[in-house]
Amino acid sequence: LSYVAGLGWFLALAFPPLAPRTYMSENAMGSTMVEEQFLFGERALSYSREFAGHKKKAGGMPVAWLEKTLWNLGLEVHRQPFSRTLPFPDETRERYMVKGTNVYGILRAPRAASTEALVLSVPCSEGPHNNQAVGLMLALASYFRGQIYWAKDIIFLVNEHDLLGMEAWLEAYHDVNVTEVQSSGTLGRAGAIQAAISLELSSDVVTSFDVAVEGLNGQLPNLDLLNLFHAFCQKNGLLCTIQGKLQRSDWDSLPAYAHSLQTLLLMVLAQASGQPRGDHGLFLRYRIEAITLRGINSFRQYKYDMTTVGKTLEGMFRKLNNLLERLHQSYFFYLLPSLSRFVSIGVYMPAFGFLILVLVLKISFWAVGSGWGPFPSPWHPPPAGAAGLTVGFPQESQPGLLVLVPPLLICHATGLALYFLPVLGQRMATQHFPVSESEAVVLTVIAIYVAGMALPHNTHRVLAGGGSDRGWMALKLLALLYLAVQLGCLALLNFSLGFLLAATMVPAAAAVQPTGPKVLLAALLVLATPAVTLLLGIFLQRELVEAPAAAAEGWQLFLAAVGEGLLQHHLYGSFLFPFLALGAYPCWLLLWNVLFWK
């Protein structure tokens, strides 16, 4: 009943009573009464064409042209060369030794002392992508330069190699070295960055804007920044989407509920992956509120030109310019069934609480039923002569504690091997097998993961009394406690990941035991392993975006996701892979030990 209540509560989150309308909490941004005057749409297109020509001529980012153009606009211009050697080649983007240059210009605030700043960033992508975004950024810089009301410095940044360049710039700007990126050059600094907007635009006109909010490790920006974008889109008539879904107006109908649930599930899957869905995702680590805006040019009839897009960005920056303090009034933990409705942490946490309650009830049943607690058990009465309660473990169960040591050591040693060996052993694997380095890393992960199921799980039998029922009861009690603590801590950092793991692992953890239908329990436990959860999540995501994947394609996406997860951890510090390797997988192996206990 508790498990069904948890799933039912989650499915009900898309209903309007549990998802109230969004509202602006920050007084300084409470109104969109700003008269936008940006009229440089044609200039933006001219800049984009010029940038595209120099980019094609240079075979990459035209650093010299960008510096000259920003300088002519009257900005303080800086460049930042950087380099990074990846732990193993990234075959998706065909890179290993990465070298690049970030270029940025600073518009100094005429009405303040450079204590605070805003950022407008544009990634310089390969090919024709994002040329229009660079052109619009330069046109906005030209327009902003002529205004006198700025109270915050504005940084116009063009970063190369997407997330790698952004991470290099953020580390250098804040004078830290978190991910071993090597950068050089004198960095000009503005004030403390209050907010950032990353812009991606690859066409002269747009039909809608899609906003990305998920950051590294599932972090989210303050909800007020999203509300600000939505308010100016409504003011200027721009269509705006989230997760690629346009919100519906008929909230009371069943199709509208299904549409909202799809959007909610897509956000949960994106947040659970722990991967930033845009350059904005790395700003959140530094307590900088940021979002990524992607211009979409689809088949819709109504098109919006650069002037309309520029006015929307101008309005947002003028509102952010009014901030007296960092964004803090609104929510940092939320889920979004649409852009105009949200689910706060106080509403969605009970769904996870009901799932964890299954483990809590099971732990209490085991503790009382086996007589291992401060209360006597009806099945294990206290020995004669004992007064009242038996405190702690009875004397005859002491060998059972020693029985737990071998399974714990073996399971966690397997987790350590899963974490360290794939990257450390990639060269040895390529020497003995006809595979590339990236393939060797991914296949080593899968091999160690599967091999963990075949390790000797009956080492407890060498100990006196190790094969008794009390031994596997103690191991299951420990595994349930371990799983409950892990998922509880994880849900506070990344609710979506904690909920998905709880929804899959809790039923198997509660049901597993060495007696009963072993084949059925083994199948249930295999389906509950984190790797299968990842595979099923990939198929579900493709179904939700209405692009279903075949079995072979899903397997290839699974292999790519494993490699990407390792890269994200080593490059940016994503905690998904170490959590699964060092926490969730050893815990699952303990449950596997319980199933095959003899």
Side-chain angles (χ1 to χ4, degrees):
L1 285 176
S2 180
Y3 182 77
V4 172
L7 294 183
W9 190 290
F10 178 79
L11 294 176
L13 293 178
F15 278 117
L18 294 180
R21 288 192 174 275
T22 56
Y23 55 91
M24 195 75 72
S25 301
E26 182 63 51
N27 290 330
M29 301 194 310
S31 171
T32 55
M33 296 298 292
V34 175
E35 185 181 353
E36 300 91 350
Q37 298 176 340
F38 178 81
L39 299 173
F40 292 176
E42 290 300 322
R43 183 180 298 187
L45 295 177
S46 175
Y47 277 132
S48 67
R49 287 190 288 267
E50 196 173 350
F51 172 76
H54 284 86
K55 180 179 173 182
K56 186 176 181 180
K57 182 178 179 181
M61 189 160 113
V63 176
W65 179 84
L66 275 173
E67 286 184 316
K68 180 181 177 182
T69 304
L70 290 171
W71 182 265
N72 291 337
L73 293 178
L75 304 184
E76 179 185 318
V77 185
H78 302 274
R79 72 161 68 183
Q80 182 215 4
F82 66 91
S83 62
R84 179 72 161 95
T85 302
L86 306 188
F88 57 91
D90 183 2
E91 291 190 348
T92 306
R93 302 175 184 86
E94 297 181 353
R95 60 188 185 186
Y96 180 51
M97 294 283 294
V98 179
K99 293 183 179 180
T101 305
N102 297 324
V103 178
Y104 63 102
I106 302 175
L107 172 60
R108 297 292 179 183
R111 302 180 61 137
S114 293
T115 56
E116 296 178 341
L118 304 172
V119 174
L120 176 60
S121 73
V122 173
C124 179
S125 306
E126 296 180 357
H129 300 293
N130 260 18
N131 294 338
Q132 285 79 0
V134 175
L136 181 58
M137 185 199 75
L138 294 173
L140 284 169
S142 174
Y143 172 72
F144 287 0
R145 180 68 179 84
Q147 310 306 312
I148 62 171
Y149 44 67
W150 299 113
K152 292 176 173 59
D153 295 344
I154 301 179
I155 302 172
F156 299 91
L157 168 66
V158 181
N159 57 295
E160 198 171 6
H161 299 298
D162 301 333
L163 288 172
L164 281 175
M166 183 59 72
E167 180 63 31
W169 187 82
L170 284 169
E171 288 190 7
Y173 190 88
H174 294 92
D175 197 20
V176 295
N177 192 355
V178 180
T179 59
E180 301 178 4
V181 176
Q182 298 177 352
S183 62
S184 58
T186 304
L187 270 175
R189 286 180 175 80
I193 301 175
Q194 305 294 299
I197 295 175
S198 179
L199 181 63
E200 297 179 13
L201 197 59
S202 300
S203 60
D204 293 350
V205 293
V206 297
T207 54
S208 63
F209 260 103
D210 189 67
V211 58
V213 295
E214 297 85 6
L216 186 68
N217 294 326
Q219 282 185 278
L220 299 173
N222 190 274
L223 189 56
D224 269 347
L225 187 59
L226 200 63
N227 295 338
L228 183 68
F229 163 71
H230 187 218
F232 274 99
C233 282
Q234 287 185 315
K235 179 181 179 183
N236 293 316
L238 271 172
L239 286 178
C240 50
T241 62
I242 186 166
Q243 312 297 339
K245 302 285 186 180
L246 187 65
Q247 60 185 354
R248 297 173 60 112
S249 56
D250 53 335
W251 274 93
D252 298 333
S253 64
L254 189 60
Y257 164 74
H259 184 84
S260 300
L261 185 61
Q262 284 183 352
T263 308
L264 187 71
L265 285 172
L266 281 171
M267 180 174 181
V268 166
L269 292 173
Q271 188 183 21
S273 71
Q275 298 183 9
R277 290 192 62 230
D279 286 356
H280 77 283
L282 299 179
F283 280 93
L284 300 174
R285 169 191 286 170
Y286 298 89
R287 185 61 180 86
I288 299 168
E289 310 310 322
I291 55 175
T292 292
L293 307 180
R294 294 190 176 96
I296 308 296
N297 186 14
S298 65
F299 57 86
R300 289 191 177 96
Q301 179 180 358
Y302 299 104
K303 310 283 186 180
Y304 304 95
D305 58 6
M306 286 290 176
T307 302
T308 306
V309 176
K311 284 184 176 182
T312 302
L313 290 171
E314 178 201 352
M316 291 181 66
F317 271 86
R318 288 184 65 178
K319 276 298 181 181
L320 292 170
N321 184 60
N322 294 339
L323 283 179
L324 302 176
E325 51 192 342
R326 288 184 182 273
L327 289 172
H328 68 282
Q329 297 277 6
S330 194
Y331 294 89
F332 289 95
F333 299 95
Y334 52 86
L335 296 175
L336 295 171
S338 78
L339 267 177
S340 62
R341 293 184 179 272
F342 75 103
V343 182
S344 69
I345 183 173
V347 176
Y348 66 65
M349 261 305 181
F352 177 80
F354 277 118
L355 298 186
I356 290 297
L357 182 60
V358 176
L359 297 180
V360 174
L361 293 174
K362 200 71 176 176
I363 289 168
S364 63
F365 293 162
W366 278 108
V368 174
S370 48
W372 291 345
F375 302 103
S377 168
W379 297 280
H380 298 276
L389 304 180
T390 58
V391 180
F393 286 86
Q395 190 65 31
E396 68 271 16
S397 68
Q398 287 298 334
L401 289 176
L402 195 59
V403 169
L404 304 181
V405 176
L408 278 173
L409 290 178
I410 291 176
C411 293
H412 284 85
T414 309
L416 287 171
L418 182 64
Y419 179 73
F420 287 108
L421 288 185
V423 175
L424 294 178
Q426 57 178 306
R427 291 185 180 179
M428 183 183 299
T430 54
Q431 290 173 358
H432 293 83
F433 300 97
V435 292
S436 63
E437 287 90 343
S438 58
E439 290 174 335
V441 169
V442 174
L443 293 177
T444 304
V445 169
I446 296 175
I448 296 175
Y449 198 98
V450 175
M453 300 166 61
L455 288 174
H457 294 313
N458 292 308
T459 50
H460 59 273
R461 299 181 70 185
V462 302
L463 302 171
S468 65
D469 285 346
R470 181 149 299 196
W472 73 263
M473 289 180 180
L475 186 60
K476 177 165 182 178
L477 183 62
L478 179 67
L480 293 178
L481 283 168
Y482 194 20
L483 181 62
V485 171
Q486 279 191 55
L487 295 179
C489 295
L490 179 63
L492 297 177
L493 301 173
N494 187 336
F495 165 80
S496 298
L497 179 59
F499 181 83
L500 290 179
L501 288 178
T504 53
M505 294 185 73
V506 162
V512 67
Q513 58 184 17
T515 59
K518 189 157 291 188
V519 175
L520 182 61
L521 290 175
L524 178 63
L525 203 54
V526 168
L527 289 176
T529 184
V532 175
T533 302
L534 171 61
L535 182 62
L536 295 177
I538 291 173
F539 282 108
L540 176 60
Q541 191 268 343
R542 292 300 297 266
E543 287 289 339
L544 291 174
V545 297
E546 299 175 3
E553 184 185 0
W555 177 250
Q556 292 298 322
L557 291 172
F558 172 76
L559 297 179
V562 172
E564 187 68 20
L566 266 75
L567 273 178
Q568 293 276 340
H569 169 59
H570 289 283
L571 293 180
Y572 313 118
S574 170
F575 64 60
L576 177 61
F577 177 69
F579 172 78
L580 295 180
L582 303 176
Y585 180 61
C587 184
W588 181 86
L589 282 180
L590 289 177
L591 296 170
W592 189 258
N593 270 266
V594 171
L595 180 62
F596 291 98
W597 189 277
K598 293 183 180 178

